[in-house]
Amino acid sequence: MAVYPPQPTKEPPISARGPIAWIRHNLLSSPYNIAFTILGLAILYWTVPPFIKWAVIDAHFAGDSKSACTGGGACWVFIKEKLDMFLFGFYPHDQLWRPKSVFAAVLALGAFAKFVPGLHRLKLTLIVLFPVFAYLMLHGGHFGLSLVETSKWGGLLLTLVIASVGIVLSFPIGILLALGRQSKLPIIKSLSVFYIEFVRGVPLITVLFMASVVLPLFFPEGVNFDKLARALIGITFFEAAYVAENIRSGFQAIPKGQYEAADALGLSYWQKMGLVILPQAIKVTIPNLVGTFISLFKDTSLVMIIGLFDLLAMVNVTANDRDWLGMDTEGYVFVAFIFWIFTFSMSMYSKRLEKRLDTNNK
Amino acid sequence: MANETPTQTQAKAQETPQATHISKEDPKAVHPLGEPMIRLENVNKWYGDFHVLKNINLEVRKGEIVVVAGPSGSGKSTMIRCINRLEEYQEGSIKVKGIEVNNDVKNLKKVRANVAMVFQHFNLFPHLTILENLTLAPVWVYKKPKKEAIETAMHYLEKVNIAEQAHKYPNQLSGGQQQRVAIARALCKSPDIMLFDEPTSALDPEMIGEVLDVMVKLAEEGKTMITVTHEMGFARKVADRVIFMDAGQIVEENDPETFFHHPESERLQLFLKQILNH
């Protein structure tokens, strides 16, 4: 028998740490890996430098007309000149302070909610009141503000209105549908299943067409229902079906014991669902939900086909301006960049939310 | 008392508890058994065609500690889960403090306010802190002021020796700690009856003791308890009555002394041999 003295801890050898080890392990570990590394570098070499040359080095930033853009680079002057169109569509020029102050209010509210601790009741009130404020500001017709028809709304403003209304309203409806699909009452259950499966079997374009063309047929003559409102209703009910399926997948991840414990404690159905099951189900389904919301955000572009001009549609409008013909490329690159900023922020936010709500490793 | 037909059991059910109690010599005699708290009469239950509970008759009086033993699949968990209606039964009647356990929502609410349950897998709510787990039902269901609910919760957390963990989340605790929290959560609504469904079966061996200690403490305070367990040491120590179930029916019920040392039915003799002799 023997007794062993404690061993000192040593640093790993140089070949197992540092950037060189990382490169050897991750990029050059096998012949295939070497081949893919070379291929990847070649693709980067062929695409990135020309794009930077076009978008930055040869690009034109100064000036106020197409004549300022000579040579091959991108003509960002176009974006600069048409920025208001991209952001607000046909919103009257002298009223642009209204959507601008709504944007500013969003930022202020977000900063207030994030950086000021406590005051939960005030924050909640402000968040609930915000849509009313935004509607009054944008639509006007009261308090001395001139009326701006929703058909004049466009660009990023319209995209954000559709996406945020769609997300905020489809969420509770989706929850109700998901609960309905779990219900023990056969009628509620089969109605929910029928609705979800029907909507998921229909393309969004069809829903929008129906909302815009077929729905008015059911209204009495002379009633003209706002086109944007119809699109919002269509998108909301469309997305609700997808949200419902996401949340249902969350329900399935909740062990039976959670329901039993809630029952045994005496919680009612709504207390059990609202306090115990849904918070956990939504938590596990955040990545899917955000995925759904990201695709909703991008799908808002489809409203183009019923004559609403969202951010993407504004490229067509602005590049058809006789003074700016042929500027489609700059327009699409710009719009793609804006879409990317929003969708990327959403997925970053969902990652942070997941981390924050993770009670397993706190 | 053993190997009776269901009708005999039923007939004897009235006198059994007192009889067993009087024959006991332990300090629990200071808590005389009170009025009937739970009464099961000819309860039958089926899962599809499978007859899981066969003519169960059982009466539990106030302050009585009943331990239910038996091989797995014998219906012991199913039986106690019928008492707070986590399971439905198809025939017979179950009464808790005279209230019929049935589909009536009002009855169910009263029953569940009186009966608390501790589960094999703890079933704490992982998204809530320990303290929030304990105050959830008192605040939302029983409409207690939050401050009072927190005080009660801390009282019971201290009782199960875990007060310092109040602000952690369940998954940060060991199994034994989680089960003690689950017991405290069950106590928070001041139930008259505690049901324990194999409370130590999912625990690592070194943690069983701490949970049993808490349960013994409760038993000594005179709480009415029905415990499904394989911990025969616990049954010997605190039970007023031990029930042996097999194949969906109560096969034998006796005071612990007779149950363990002079089992009457062959089936129980075999069971005891299997669990004790190794």
Side-chain angles (χ1 to χ4, degrees):
Chain A
M1 288 296 142
V3 175
Y4 302 97
Q7 300 284 323
T9 33
K10 285 194 298 183
E11 294 235 305
I14 188 77
S15 59
R17 61 192 158 112
I20 295 173
W22 186 90
I23 288 173
R24 268 170 57 179
H25 181 75
N26 289 295
L27 299 178
L28 306 169
S29 59
S30 71
Y32 281 120
N33 201 341
I34 293 171
F36 279 117
T37 302
I38 293 171
L39 186 69
L41 287 176
I43 291 173
L44 288 179
Y45 176 75
W46 281 319
T47 53
V48 175
F51 180 79
I52 289 176
K53 189 165 183 290
W54 175 80
V56 182
I57 299 169
D58 290 350
H60 305 277
F61 298 94
D64 54 11
S65 72
K66 199 181 175 186
S67 57
C69 303
T70 49
C75 187
W76 299 125
V77 183
F78 165 66
I79 303 296
K80 198 173 75 183
E81 288 297 309
K82 295 290 185 189
L83 191 60
D84 283 346
M85 291 279 274
F86 280 113
L87 294 184
F88 308 111
F90 305 106
Y91 210 91
H93 210 265
D94 58 337
Q95 298 291 325
L96 282 186
W97 63 272
R98 283 158 57 178
K100 278 177 189 165
S101 43
V102 171
F103 282 172
V106 173
L107 293 178
L109 191 59
F112 176 64
K114 185 161 167 46
F115 296 114
V116 182
L119 299 172
H120 295 297
R121 200 158 286 177
L122 176 66
K123 283 176 185 170
L124 198 67
T125 318
L126 287 177
I127 290 171
V128 170
L129 287 180
F130 177 77
V132 181
F133 164 75
Y135 176 77
L136 289 176
M137 278 298 269
L138 293 174
H139 193 256
H142 304 276
F143 309 113
L145 293 172
S146 58
L147 188 78
V148 180
E149 298 274 350
T150 54
S151 56
K152 292 257 185 357
W153 303 11
L156 182 63
L157 172 68
L158 185 69
T159 300
L160 291 178
V161 166
I162 297 173
S164 46
V165 171
I167 289 170
V168 170
L169 294 185
S170 65
F171 193 55
I173 299 175
I175 288 176
L176 288 179
L177 281 170
L179 291 175
R181 195 168 186 163
Q182 299 261 304
S183 171
K184 278 181 196 154
L185 307 173
I187 297 199
I188 291 181
K189 185 178 170 131
S190 40
L191 278 177
S192 305
V193 171
F194 174 78
Y195 177 85
I196 291 169
E197 295 305 333
F198 176 75
V199 170
R200 294 207 312 159
V202 176
L204 180 56
I205 292 199
T206 319
V207 174
L208 287 173
F209 264 129
M210 298 263 285
S212 143
V213 181
V214 182
L215 206 59
L217 298 179
F218 296 101
F219 294 137
E221 195 128 359
V223 173
N224 193 10
F225 204 55
D226 188 87
K227 201 201 291 186
L228 176 60
R230 274 180 272 152
L232 286 177
I233 292 171
I235 287 178
T236 299
F237 282 95
F238 182 81
E239 286 306 319
Y242 286 85
V243 171
E245 282 302 272
N246 283 337
I247 291 180
R248 186 171 73 106
S249 75
F251 281 150
Q252 275 160 354
I254 309 299
K256 216 173 122 217
Q258 294 287 308
Y259 292 86
E260 290 177 351
D263 282 337
L265 284 172
L267 269 64
S268 71
Y269 174 79
W270 292 106
Q271 286 169 338
K272 171 173 70 178
M273 286 305 184
L275 297 169
V276 176
I277 306 300
L278 270 173
Q280 297 185 61
I282 291 173
K283 192 175 95 184
V284 300
T285 193
I286 284 174
N288 297 334
L289 273 176
V290 173
T292 301
F293 289 149
I294 284 176
S295 64
L296 161 66
F297 185 79
K298 294 185 292 180
D299 284 349
T300 54
S301 295
L302 291 173
V303 297
M304 203 192 309
I305 58 133
I306 59 168
L308 294 169
F309 292 93
D310 80 311
L311 182 58
L312 186 64
M314 289 321 290
V315 178
N316 284 336
V317 175
T318 51
N320 280 339
D321 186 333
R322 224 182 309 155
D323 298 335
W324 293 100
L325 284 177
M327 289 291 155
D328 309 60
T329 316
E330 283 83 352
Y332 285 124
V333 170
F334 174 69
V335 164
F337 182 64
I338 300 286
F339 269 106
W340 179 79
I341 286 178
F342 278 95
T343 52
F344 187 65
S345 317
M346 284 160 87
S347 70
M348 293 310 279
Y349 180 71
S350 91
K351 264 197 183 152
R352 285 205 14 225
L353 199 62
E354 260 178 85
K355 254 203 181 139
R356 212 182 70 203
L357 295 178
D358 181 11
T359 52
N360 289 339
N361 306 303
K362 243 186 202 166
Chain B
M1 293 215 296
N3 282 336
E4 294 158 331
T5 63
T7 33
Q8 282 170 318
T9 319
Q10 192 188 354
K12 275 197 163 186
Q14 313 298 328
E15 61 200 64
T16 303
Q18 283 130 326
T20 22
H21 181 71
I22 290 158
S23 71
K24 281 183 71 73
E25 71 287 83
D26 69 349
K28 265 199 309 331
V30 293
H31 298 292
L33 295 174
E35 76 268 28
M37 299 292 271
I38 299 173
R39 178 176 283 164
L40 283 79
E41 276 171 17
N42 298 323
V43 172
N44 279 284
K45 177 177 171 60
W46 289 264
Y47 284 128
D49 288 334
F50 181 58
H51 199 171
V52 272
L53 292 182
K54 296 172 188 160
N55 240 21
I56 302 287
N57 285 288
L58 177 68
E59 192 183 66
V60 179
R61 286 166 177 273
K62 191 171 169 58
E64 199 177 9
I65 317 289
V66 175
V67 166
V68 186
S72 51
S74 59
K76 21 186 223 312
S77 286
T78 308
M79 178 182 79
I80 70 164
R81 286 158 58 90
C82 281
I83 295 170
N84 65 348
R85 208 169 171 82
L86 290 183
E87 303 275 355
E88 293 179 10
Y89 55 93
Q90 282 82 32
E91 270 179 28
S93 115
I94 298 180
K95 279 187 183 143
V96 173
K97 293 182 86 180
I99 305 161
E100 185 81 34
V101 182
N102 56 17
N103 268 330
D104 189 321
V105 182
K106 267 189 194 155
N107 284 4
L108 191 59
K109 218 177 154 183
K110 280 188 215 152
V111 168
R112 283 182 176 164
N114 280 315
V115 181
M117 188 172 229
V118 174
F119 299 88
Q120 181 178 1
H121 295 288
F122 334 133
N123 297 348
L124 295 177
F125 304 133
H127 63 301
L128 302 177
T129 63
I130 300 309
L131 193 57
E132 287 165 342
N133 263 279
L134 266 68
T135 54
L136 186 77
V139 169
W140 288 87
V141 185
Y142 306 105
K143 310 291 178 204
K144 292 257 170 61
K146 201 163 180 192
K147 204 165 154 250
E148 192 189 319
I150 290 176
E151 274 167 23
T152 316
M154 290 310 293
H155 166 75
Y156 285 116
L157 283 178
E158 266 156 34
K159 191 166 184 169
V160 300
N161 302 321
I162 211 160
E164 70 283 358
Q165 316 278 14
H167 297 284
K168 289 194 177 172
Y169 286 92
N171 291 329
Q172 293 167 291
L173 305 189
S174 73
Q177 290 174 320
Q178 290 193 46
Q179 193 61 300
R180 283 185 281 146
V181 171
I183 294 172
R185 178 174 73 175
L187 288 170
C188 265
K189 62 178 175 184
S190 336
D192 295 320
I193 298 149
M194 293 282 284
L195 304 175
F196 290 85
D197 188 4
E198 305 204 24
T200 55
S201 299
L203 294 176
D204 291 334
E206 75 269 24
M207 293 171 183
I208 292 175
E210 64 190 54
V211 172
L212 289 179
D213 285 345
V214 170
M215 291 170 62
V216 169
K217 210 156 93 180
L218 283 178
E220 284 165 355
E221 286 172 13
K223 192 69 106 182
T224 313
M225 288 165 62
I226 304 185
T227 304
V228 172
T229 186
H230 299 292
E231 292 300 324
M232 292 305 134
F234 173 80
R236 274 199 201 118
K237 194 165 172 188
V238 299
D240 294 298
R241 196 158 35 126
V242 187
I243 287 173
F244 176 65
M245 283 183 76
D246 188 29
Q249 67 178 73
I250 295 178
V251 176
E252 178 164 347
E253 55 175 304
N254 250 321
D255 60 289
E257 170 66 21
T258 322
F259 187 93
F260 289 110
H261 300 294
H262 314 285
E264 293 168 43
S265 66
E266 225 171 275
R267 188 66 196 86
L268 176 56
Q269 288 163 8
L270 180 66
F271 177 73
L272 290 173
K273 214 180 205 172
Q274 283 165 338
I275 61 165
L276 297 175
N277 291 353
H278 58 78

